[in-house]
Each structure stands twice: as structure tokens, then as C-alpha cells.
Amino acid sequence: MALRDRIAAQVRASFADPSGRKVTPARQDARLLPPGSVAFDVHADVTTMMIGGISSLLLQMLHPKALAGVWDFSNFRDDMGGRLRRTAAFIAVTTFGEKHAAEVAIARVRSIHDRVEGLLPDGTAYRAADPGLLAFVGAVEALSFLGAWMRYRDPLMRRRDQDRYMAEMAEVSRLLGAAPVPETRAGAIDYIRSMRPELRVDDRTREVSRLMLTAPPPSPAAAPAQRLLVEAGIDLLPDWARRMHGFSGPGLATPVVRAGAGGMSMVLRWALKAPLST
């Protein structure tokens, strides 16, 4: 097997849905999002999606209610990789899959959310289906993916395209039950800033973060790349979020991280030569 094929096979295996469901890219006019959506380009770049995904999860877990659903109902302790692959599969089907398949996936997630509820350690009730909580999770996810794309692929991305992407992701969030959902990059940044008084770090946050960041790579050969992606995801976090997590200490130097992640992005684009956005 040629080097390009080996790299492509390993990457695709890393994103495979643990359930065995496969996403077959549909024609653009048959997808959930309209033809020409900015998301088709942003979500087709594997490296920036991995970096954005890591950063997104680290930021989302600072919200105690978002963390509680994972802590109380997820098998993340035993299968962190499976959880991440299910998330990747959901993004793939809602971006590239046929519209009906995307709607089925959204309905499946909503049914799961409807069963996830409980109490925080201080006795505060939480529900995964809470519209405001879903809006926070969706805004963080969209900003993280967009931030990674702009850092490593398109630093000069036009503001109107940034806002088009955020509006596209807002529509998916609304279908999941989120409200109110910011539809611009500036609006999402302001919304997350307004939520900062509710964010915190405790022993549960540190435990989930540790397990996510030290999850075993899919193979020993992938360990250096995984470490680089983790460092790039941490680097993408806002300064205040890095401080909350205690990531302000020395790690890989930022220029080294960004140069390495940029190089990895080019290698993976070469290996995955058939882009999903076509």
C-alpha cells in the first residue's frame, strides 16, 4: 500500500462511527445545508477539525451543566475515542450526508438529550435538552472549528463568510433545540463572554480533561501527531480558558505548535486527495 493510502486509511479509521454507520457524501443540493455552504469547506479539512474539536471540548467542559451530562451518562472513562468518533460522525452526516440521514441523526441526538438530566454536586438541576445550554455548546463548537480554519487554512477569511458559517451552524443548533442562537462570529464571542460567570473548574473538570488529553493514540506511530494536535487545540483556546484549565505553564513553544500543525494539515490534504466538499 502506498504511503498516501496508508495515511488516508489510518485517518478514516480514526473518524469511523463506532456503530458502523457510514456517511455517503450526497450532492450539495441533497444535503441539509444549502449548496455553496461555507461549512462544506471548513468541515472537509481534517486537521483543523481535529484541532477545533479538542479546543471545543475543553471549552465546553468548563460549563458545569455541559460537563454533568458527560460525567453522569457517558462511558467516556472507558471509551473516550468512541465518544469523539461519534461526534465526528454526527458532524459529517449533518454536513455532507443526504438531508434525510442528517434529520435522522438530529432526531437521534435529541432523543438522547431528552433522557439526560440530573443534579449537579451543589443540587442544581440540569437538562441536556435545555435550549440555553445547547446554544452555549453549539456556539463554542462553531467558533472553535472556525477559529482553527482561520488559523491554519484561511487567515484572511472574509467577515461575511465567517458569519455565513456561524449562521449555518446556528441552523443545526436550532434543529437540536438550541435557543437563542448567535448567528455571527462577533455575536457568538459576546455570548460566550456573557456566560463566563457560570464557568468553573473542579475535580470533575480536571478528570475529564486529563482523560481526554491522555487518551491512547490509535497506534504508537500516531502518538507524536496526536500530541501535536492536543497542543494545537490548547493553543487555540482563549487565554482566559487556558488559565482556568491551568494550561498557562510551559508546553511546546507556540511557533513550533503552529508550524507543526500547519505542516500536518498539508500532509493530510495531500493524503485525502478526494475532498468531501465536491
Side-chain angles (χ1 to χ4, degrees), residues 113-168:
H113 286 169
D114 287 341
R115 301 192 295 271
V116 174
E117 58 183 32
L119 299 175
L120 301 182
D122 65 3
T124 303
Y126 74 87
R127 294 187 305 116
D130 175 68
L133 181 59
L134 289 169
F136 171 79
V137 170
V140 166
E141 187 173 87
L143 273 179
S144 299
F145 290 144
L146 181 61
W149 170 264
M150 292 176 64
R151 175 165 294 175
Y152 293 104
R153 285 300 309 273
D154 191 1
L156 300 179
M157 186 180 194
R158 294 175 299 183
R159 177 62 61 86
R160 68 181 183 184
D161 288 335
Q162 297 174 34
D163 289 344
R164 278 181 58 204
Y165 175 77
M166 295 302 298
E168 291 160 10

Side-chain angles (χ1 to χ4, degrees), residues 244-256:
M244 287 184 70
H245 272 290
F247 293 144
S248 56
L252 291 177
T254 295
V256 175

Side-chain angles (χ1 to χ4, degrees), residues 4-267:
R4 171 181 276 175
D5 294 333
R6 289 200 301 271
I7 295 173
Q10 186 172 57
V11 170
R12 291 186 177 113
S14 299
F15 283 89
D17 188 337
S19 68
R21 290 184 292 265
K22 294 184 179 180
V23 177
T24 301
R27 299 188 321 272
Q28 288 199 15
D29 61 359
R31 299 176 185 178
L32 179 69
L33 298 174
S37 290
V38 180
F40 298 160
D41 291 325
V42 174
H43 292 179
D45 191 86
V46 173
T47 305
T48 58
M49 289 298 287
M50 289 191 288
I51 292 170
I54 291 168
S55 189
S56 172
L57 291 173
L58 288 169
L59 191 48
Q60 288 171 13
M61 71 176 67
L62 294 176
H63 196 302
K65 292 182 179 179
L67 180 68
V70 174
W71 186 271
D72 292 339
F73 290 88
S74 171
N75 65 340
F76 71 93
R77 297 171 185 83
D78 302 317
D79 188 23
M80 180 64 77
R83 175 177 174 79
L84 297 177
R85 288 194 298 275
R86 283 188 289 273
T87 300
F90 177 80
I91 294 168
V93 72
T94 53
T95 306
F96 304 111
E98 194 271 335
K99 183 178 180 180
H100 176 69
E103 291 170 341
V104 168
I106 289 169
R108 185 185 306 117
V109 170
R110 291 194 68 148
S111 71
I112 293 171
H113 286 169
D114 287 341
R115 301 192 295 271
V116 174
E117 58 183 32
L119 299 175
L120 301 182
D122 65 3
T124 303
Y126 74 87
R127 294 187 305 116
D130 175 68
L133 181 59
L134 289 169
F136 171 79
V137 170
V140 166
E141 187 173 87
L143 273 179
S144 299
F145 290 144
L146 181 61
W149 170 264
M150 292 176 64
R151 175 165 294 175
Y152 293 104
R153 285 300 309 273
D154 191 1
L156 300 179
M157 186 180 194
R158 294 175 299 183
R159 177 62 61 86
R160 68 181 183 184
D161 288 335
Q162 297 174 34
D163 289 344
R164 278 181 58 204
Y165 175 77
M166 295 302 298
E168 291 160 10
M169 294 302 95
E171 178 59 25
V172 177
S173 289
R174 276 191 289 271
L175 292 173
L176 286 168
V181 186
E183 294 196 356
T184 65
R185 182 168 179 256
I189 291 172
D190 288 343
Y191 176 69
I192 292 170
R193 185 181 294 120
S194 74
M195 297 291 289
R196 282 184 59 183
E198 299 183 32
L199 309 183
R200 65 171 183 252
V201 171
D202 57 19
D203 289 343
R204 303 207 301 186
T205 319
R206 286 185 282 271
E207 175 68 3
V208 175
S209 172
R210 181 188 67 80
L211 288 172
M212 189 185 86
L213 298 180
T214 60
S219 70
Q226 179 166 301
R227 177 60 181 167
L228 179 60
L229 291 170
V230 166
E231 290 283 352
I234 292 171
D235 177 53
L236 189 65
L237 286 169
D239 290 343
W240 57 265
R242 284 201 301 273
R243 289 194 297 271
M244 287 184 70
H245 272 290
F247 293 144
S248 56
L252 291 177
T254 295
V256 175
V257 170
R258 296 186 185 179
M264 183 186 302
S265 180
M266 288 189 289
V267 170

